[in-house]
Amino acid sequence: MYFGSVRFFKHLIFAVLIVIIIVPIFLSIFFATRLKNVEKKQAPIIIKSKTNDEIAKDLTIDDYCELFSKGNFTIEQLLNSLNSTGNDISDTLFKKHFSVESKDLDYQKKYPDLYTKAPTQFSVKEKTIYLSFDDGPSSNTRQILDILDKYNIKATFFVVGNESEQGKELLREIVKRGHTIGIHSYCHNYNIIYQSVDAYLDDFYRDYNYVLNATGVKPQIFRFPGGSVNSYNQTIYKQIIAEMCRRGFVYYDWNISGEDASPTATWTSIYNNIIKATKNASRGLILLHDGPDKGTTVTVVEDLIKELIKSGYTFDKLTNDVKPIIFGYID
Ligand code: ZN
């Protein structure tokens, strides 16, 4: 009798081993290979200068980032490629990557004063931390400014509309103390600003003028509310990025988050989130918030700074020539 025999149990054990060991290994290899192939299928990017000289072609996003960081071509050359008219490669590139016509878009004619000079190249500083604070100015901003002063650290504030005298005064303080102001959003209502590219531009322009009128400074960098790619802007984020890039603005997401926007955030959770994430980071763009309800964040900032200094990091503010850390490249 085979069933119930020693041979039967041997075979049974083999069968079970195959199912619990070999099948998962096989599946892992299969999916890992597939993932690798998906990564390889990044759309090529071709960069041409204004005189149509080919600077680089068939780049993957990784090659592109690498060349960009080495200064092999400038953002202006990229913008020229995106910007130039006629049936050239840049027009194709633009359509391919943004699925929109590169010219005669009504929103491109809006706000002719909403342009800035794009950087000629990006730089990368190793072992550097960029602290960034979103959703201010608020009463919490001043305390953060004082802590930053104490350690002689410069940071970046992506601001929202706060027309109170205190709000405008804080914007001036941010500038006076040598930090960078970036645009976040005037109304910070995702349902409004991500309705269309027009709606995004309207809100951006309002925030831009709010900062300009209060400080005399024209912001050159910005951060999307919710990050550059979020569930509210899926259908239009590429068009917004293209339009803001065309206007010379550089945007920054983050690679380290304190997760302090969460209502359950505590001193410990914010501190640990950041320290853990900076462990092996060569440079860190840290997302924190200085909105009116972010008192907990204020209590963490000084300890974070102390610990990160101890780990050998230096701090800097973002300027538009710092190589962006972003979620949604123009792939
Ligand atoms: Zn925000």
Side-chain angles (χ1 to χ4, degrees), residues 155-178:
T156 305
F157 293 82
F158 291 101
V159 302
V160 300
N162 173 354
E163 295 288 355
S164 68
E165 268 319 304
Q166 188 213 26
K168 289 187 251 182
E169 185 50 41
L170 283 166
L171 291 190
R172 288 188 279 275
E173 274 292 305
I174 293 172
V175 171
K176 202 173 111 191
R177 301 197 197 190

Side-chain angles (χ1 to χ4, degrees), residues 134-135 184 188 190 225 289:
D134 289 10
D135 301 354
H184 194 36
H188 205 275
Y190 294 16
H289 294 81

Side-chain angles (χ1 to χ4, degrees), residues 2 5-18:
Y2 175 65
S5 69
V6 174
R7 239 177 97 229
F8 167 75
F9 282 110
K10 265 189 190 166
H11 288 166
L12 187 65
I13 289 165
F14 272 128
V16 170
L17 281 177
I18 285 171

Side-chain angles (χ1 to χ4, degrees), residues 83-107:
N83 229 348
S84 54
T85 52
N87 187 23
D88 62 7
I89 189 70
S90 55
D91 197 45
T92 317
L93 177 85
F94 194 98
K95 277 187 215 159
K96 191 172 166 192
H97 292 298
F98 300 106
S99 311
V100 287
E101 293 294 328
S102 66
K103 50 195 169 179
D104 297 334
L105 290 164
D106 281 344
Y107 58 68

Side-chain angles (χ1 to χ4, degrees), residues 16 29 53 120 129 134 150 186 192 198 214 257 261 274:
V16 170
I29 293 169
D53 300 322
T120 51
I129 293 286
D134 289 10
K150 187 173 165 189
Y186 189 86
I192 294 173
D198 275 280
S257 170
I274 291 176

